[in-house]
Amino acid sequence: MTDNKITVKNLSVGYGSFVLLKNISFDVKRGSVFIIMGGSGCGKSSLLRVLTGLNAPLGGSVWIDGKNLTTAPEAEKNALMRRGGILYQSGALFSSMTLAENIALPLQQYTDYSPAAVKELVSLKLNLVGLAGFEDFYPAEISGGMKKRAGLARALALDPDIVYFDEPSAGLDPISSKHLDDLILNISETLGTTIVIVTHELASIFSIGTDSIFLDADAHGITARGNPKELLKNPPNKIVFDFLTRGDPHAQKPE
């Protein structure tokens, strides 16, 4: 078994003739908190959809534990996709279902657990994200931060090896965002889960990221990679430096 959980080879991402990213390659280490960052329009969320198997790439391949997600037969591809959980920006909870019903859904669809076992697992996942006792609440009855945590509980329902996050802090106040970051770190450290996060939030990037890539819209590719704190110390170019020092008038620009 290699250290790489995900391997991306010569991947091109876009829609039809419109290319966002061209021939990019990178690895996501097992158990890391991997940040995909960059300015608006660089292809962060589009890349995430290809990594999860929701969209097909224009070219290249995505490998998970040495298995080619891109060219796998449908049954094998679906099995690989179920090894990943996804937390969308909005939480994407079904408004007409309670939190318990939302989290139970993937368990009911993809396992043959008894109703009693499903109920026990739902309570366990809600407890894991700090929402014990909220089983019978509807999404409209809880705060934005709680919705994100409930969405995370659902993403964890099938005990995935990888959890993908699309702008998890979007719409949250700083305190709720910090609580979510702490929860993500706890899941990574206690469960050994590989985390892949699309985000532009500097507080999150520096506090939880162990590795990263920077996507440049003009270059249609990766112009920096590594631990975000190290990239801040030794930025490879002005674009990366400006992104990582937004709002800091005292930051010293590289030569």
Side-chain angles (χ1 to χ4, degrees):
M1 183 182 296
T2 69
D3 288 339
N4 296 334
K5 186 67 178 177
I6 304 171
T7 297
V8 172
K9 299 180 181 180
N10 302 318
L11 195 71
S12 293
V13 176
Y15 305 92
S17 61
F18 181 67
V19 178
L20 284 163
L21 299 166
K22 186 174 182 180
N23 295 331
I24 64 172
S25 298
F26 61 92
D27 298 316
V28 178
K29 300 297 183 185
R30 194 178 308 276
S32 65
V33 179
F34 189 89
I35 306 291
I36 299 173
M37 57 185 178
S40 297
C42 67
K44 300 187 297 295
S45 292
S46 295
L47 172 59
L48 193 70
R49 292 183 64 83
V50 172
L51 294 181
T52 59
L54 294 174
N55 283 4
L58 298 179
S61 56
V62 175
W63 298 71
I64 298 175
D65 284 334
K67 296 181 179 179
N68 192 333
L69 175 69
T70 311
T71 60
E74 185 175 0
E76 183 179 345
K77 180 177 180 179
N78 289 338
L80 286 171
M81 289 176 67
R82 283 198 294 272
R83 292 170 62 179
I86 308 173
L87 176 61
Y88 298 98
Q89 283 191 36
S90 63
L93 298 170
F94 292 103
S95 60
S96 61
M97 301 169 68
T98 65
L99 300 192
E101 290 168 340
N102 268 280
I103 297 159
L105 195 58
L107 293 165
Q108 293 164 341
Q109 283 188 310
Y110 299 115
T111 74
D112 55 2
Y113 294 146
S114 68
V118 168
K119 184 177 180 180
E120 183 177 348
L121 284 169
V122 166
S123 293
L124 178 66
K125 301 305 180 184
L126 282 172
N127 184 62
L128 182 63
V129 300
L131 290 176
F134 284 85
E135 284 85 350
D136 296 329
F137 280 66
Y138 287 89
E141 298 175 320
I142 59 177
S143 69
M146 294 169 76
K147 288 178 185 176
K148 293 289 181 79
R149 283 187 278 153
L152 178 54
R154 188 178 61 186
L156 294 169
L158 297 175
D159 295 322
D161 301 327
I162 311 166
V163 179
Y164 303 92
F165 295 80
D166 188 6
E167 299 284 3
S169 299
L172 298 183
D173 62 84
I175 294 176
S176 296
S177 180
K178 175 64 166 57
H179 286 165
L180 185 58
D181 285 346
D182 291 343
L183 180 57
I184 292 170
L185 270 183
N186 183 58
I187 289 168
S188 173
E189 293 170 356
T190 59
L191 302 180
T193 307
T194 301
I195 307 291
V196 179
I197 305 177
V198 164
T199 185
H200 66 278
E201 297 288 344
L202 291 182
S204 297
I205 289 170
F206 291 126
S207 64
I208 65 176
T210 60
D211 199 3
S212 70
I213 54 173
F214 183 89
L215 303 182
D216 188 298
D218 293 331
H220 300 290
I222 299 169
T223 58
R225 66 185 73 202
N227 184 291
K229 292 178 181 177
E230 292 301 318
L231 290 179
L232 180 61
K233 290 179 183 177
N234 300 290
N237 55 61
K238 185 177 182 297
I239 294 174
V240 174
F241 175 80
D242 288 345
F243 180 89
L244 294 175
T245 58
R246 301 189 302 274
D248 183 358
H250 303 295
Q252 184 175 355
K253 295 184 179 180
E255 297 296 331

